[in-house]
Amino acid sequence: MHVLVVEDDEKIASFIARGLRQEGCAVDTADNGIDGFHRAMEEHYDAAIVDVMLPRLGGLDLIRDLRKEDNLVPVLILSARSSVDDRISGLRAGGDDYLVKPFSFAELIARVQALVRRARSVADPVTLAAGDLQLDLARRTVSRAGVPIELQPREFALLEFLVRNRGRVISKTLIMDRVWGYDFDPSTNVVESRMSRLRDKVDRGFPHALIKTVRGAGYTIDDKA
Amino acid sequence: MTRRRVPGSLALRLSALYASLCFVAMAAVLFISYEYLDDYLWNRIDNHLLEEIHEYRTLLESQDLDFICELLQHEAQSHESSESFFRIIDHSGVIHCETDMAAWPGVNAEPVLIAEAREWGSAFTVHNHPDRGFAVRVAYGDLGGGFVLQTGQSSTADGLMLRHFKQLFFGAAAAFFVCSIFAGAIAGGRSLSRIQRLTAAADDIAAGAWDHRVPISRRGDEIDELASAFNTMVDRIQVLFKELRDVTDDIAHDLRTPLMRIRGEAELALREGSDLTGLPERYGSVLEECDQMLQLINTMLEISQTEAGVQPITRYPVDLAGVADDVAELFRPAAEDRGIRLETRIEPAPEILGEASRLKRALAHLLDNAIKYTPEGGSVHVRVHREGAEVAVTVVDTGAGIPAASLGKVFNRFYRAEASRSAAGNGLGLSLARAIVRAHGGDIEVQSEAGRGATFKIRLPI
């Protein structure tokens, strides 16, 4: 996957690029809107990550110019502001998605992958797998090493999210928000309790535990045993 | 302050307006009086002349003309001949007798008026005497028997009176004008000096004297109302100002603590150099601290944006029973792990108009709180039911309860009762819950007795 990152903050650009390369992407960066525009016009990218506040040419203007030239590269807009108006103007300018800083890296990757999938019109897979774990998304069934596992809807959604992002650390806040639709960080063990029930069903009785806790950071599914 | 000051410009305009209004009213009254008096005086002369004519006509019925002529001469001598004259003329204009006309040059017998008097009984004219300052009123009256009496009276006395009156008129008007300017200036000035006090107080307060208030007189007039509204506004601003300062202090405190931990971790990692043991855990804790700070900032913003209506509620039909069910299910494992019974009693209730995700969020904060403060073996009840034109959602716990002194403050930002200082959370959940519920046109209330649990109740209009 070839990704263009247009971001003037050197450190942020650097960590996005490093993270994407770890994911196996080829990354080019530009630190201003004009350079970003020329790069996007010269090469074919699978996705572009564009900051709103850019020197020389603002992010939204950059996107508008690209769309005027019929460049349809999927664009993820980055912004430090979360107001609805900013989101709307970002999407109106031709952006495909909008992410508010600071964001978790897992979220960034998930969004970029979703954009690329949509642009390539790749149909969502019907089954997902991590190691010997199999998820049938159509029937909402799970099995591990051929043994069926009964899950509640919330547990299924949680497991699906972890498997989709396997290898990445998913924070509790991200689970609350993206999996269950609650945009807050509870002070009770809402995520932990649910996760321990999921583990009981998924990992108990198997020699290799798939779901791992990363202290302070969240959870991950690691199938590279 | 670069306020442009035109001293008393409003006072000047007000008093000028006041003075001109008074002057116009006064002039109108005086003018009407003058006209009325003038009219009255002319009528008085005319009536007198008509009386004379009537008297001589009656005399001529019984006496002959010579006698009347003699009587006229006699009368004229006993009177001041400069004030009136008499002349008897026949229809052809021949003068039969007259008083001394030396003082009345140019007063002739006009044939037209003689004819008019014969036809109508009497006729009047005004003769402007060149030597006299005032006009002479001349009347012709038919005496019968072919004779006409021409008689006239000078208006000198009346004229002088009118002239005096006119002088009085202008004098009074001038005095009145000056007085009304002063009166206007004083009346305007008194009101405006109170407004200036208000301005001075506003300037003082703007300069930082927040305890300053505008004195209120006991008149209860518009300026007092303005002053009272102004004071109320300053009271409110002062309260908000203090709240803002407290909130800023709280934010600073709540951000400093995680920053300190992050900084400490990073500094320690540098000192330890290449020793990488425990590095993932350290990074993990740094992430956790960052997420906490982020949560704090986002929640703060959300509260103020919800309160200010920056992100208005989108209103769709929402089934609160479904919302309560969903939230309760979210928390069920967490409650079980703590040994708390989570019970729901959800009665069918009509749908309300609102935003399901935000209402879920509000209720989630209530449940999060209830579970947090309920000890093992306790229980939390969630109930949804209709109450008149509202749907009520209550969350009842069997926790330590809230002391009476703190009940009024639990919805304040960052408020945490002393006992719960050590518990997790940033003290913003209930504030956000209230902001969300109020944005929906509802309200939230709390009842509690120390040691006997707490009841939070959300009421939303159908």
Side-chain angles (χ1 to χ4, degrees), chain A residues 182-183 187-188 193-194 197, chain B residues 326 329 336-337 361 368:
Chain A
Y182 286 82
D183 178 22
S187 44
T188 51
S193 298
R194 187 76 62 178
R197 277 161 184 69
Chain B
D326 195 78
E329 281 321 303
E336 277 172 12
D337 286 358
R361 176 107 190 252
D368 195 41

Side-chain angles (χ1 to χ4, degrees), chain A residues 187-207:
Chain A
S187 44
T188 51
N189 300 330
V190 173
V191 180
E192 294 89 331
S193 298
R194 187 76 62 178
M195 191 64 84
S196 83
R197 277 161 184 69
L198 180 64
R199 276 177 157 163
D200 272 357
K201 293 176 180 174
V202 172
D203 283 337
R204 181 176 282 184
F206 292 95

Side-chain angles (χ1 to χ4, degrees), chain A residues 26-100:
Chain A
V27 183
D28 289 334
T29 58
D31 63 2
N32 66 73
I34 303 268
D35 288 357
F37 175 77
H38 289 310
R39 276 194 171 276
M41 291 307 291
E42 282 157 13
E43 291 216 33
H44 174 80
Y45 291 100
D46 295 299
I49 299 170
V50 176
D51 186 46
V52 169
M53 300 282 280
L54 286 173
R56 296 178 68 192
L57 180 69
L60 298 188
D61 290 327
L62 160 60
I63 299 167
R64 259 184 226 114
D65 289 356
L66 284 177
R67 299 305 184 229
K68 248 182 248 162
E69 301 290 326
D70 290 329
N71 187 322
L72 295 175
V73 59
V75 177
L76 174 65
I77 301 169
L78 298 184
S79 167
R81 302 207 306 188
S82 63
S83 91
V84 175
D85 286 346
D86 290 333
R87 261 167 216 268
I88 290 171
S89 54
L91 299 181
R92 276 221 184 107
D96 297 277
D97 201 355
Y98 190 98
L99 195 55
V100 179

Side-chain angles (χ1 to χ4, degrees), chain B residues 47-215:
Chain B
N47 284 334
H48 181 243
L49 293 176
L50 282 171
E51 259 170 40
E52 294 278 351
I53 290 165
H54 181 73
E55 202 178 305
Y56 283 99
R57 187 162 54 212
T58 320
L59 266 177
L60 194 65
E61 278 166 16
S62 54
Q63 308 291 336
D64 64 4
L65 194 63
D66 290 339
F67 175 78
I68 288 168
C69 280
E70 240 169 84
L71 192 70
L72 279 178
Q73 300 296 346
H74 187 72
E75 287 260 324
Q77 275 160 23
S78 66
H79 282 298
E80 196 59 53
S81 66
S82 62
E83 285 306 308
S84 57
F85 72 90
F86 296 93
R87 182 184 266 166
I88 291 179
I89 319 152
D90 67 17
H91 287 174
S92 54
V94 178
I95 296 165
H96 280 260
C97 62
E98 61 184 12
T99 51
D100 179 12
M101 295 301 284
W104 308 90
V107 178
N108 300 317
E110 311 271 347
V112 182
L113 290 163
I114 295 169
E116 202 179 305
R118 278 178 59 201
E119 195 174 340
W120 302 103
S122 63
F124 286 91
T125 185
V126 176
H127 187 84
N128 280 311
H129 207 295
D131 297 336
R132 293 169 184 248
F134 302 99
V136 178
R137 187 63 160 167
V138 180
Y140 294 77
D142 188 29
L143 295 178
F147 296 103
V148 167
L149 175 67
Q150 185 193 13
T151 175
Q153 194 176 338
S154 147
S155 69
T156 310
D158 293 345
L160 283 173
M161 190 166 139
L162 280 173
R163 184 181 284 170
H164 278 298
F165 186 81
K166 223 182 247 173
Q167 280 163 0
L168 187 73
F169 174 115
F170 283 115
F176 205 83
F177 185 65
V178 172
C179 284
S180 52
I181 285 178
F182 276 107
I186 291 166
R190 277 165 65 93
S191 304
L192 287 168
S193 76
R194 288 164 68 201
I195 291 179
Q196 273 160 8
R197 277 211 296 278
L198 202 66
T199 312
D203 282 345
D204 283 353
I205 291 165
W210 285 99
D211 292 323
H212 200 118
R213 292 293 179 277
V214 184

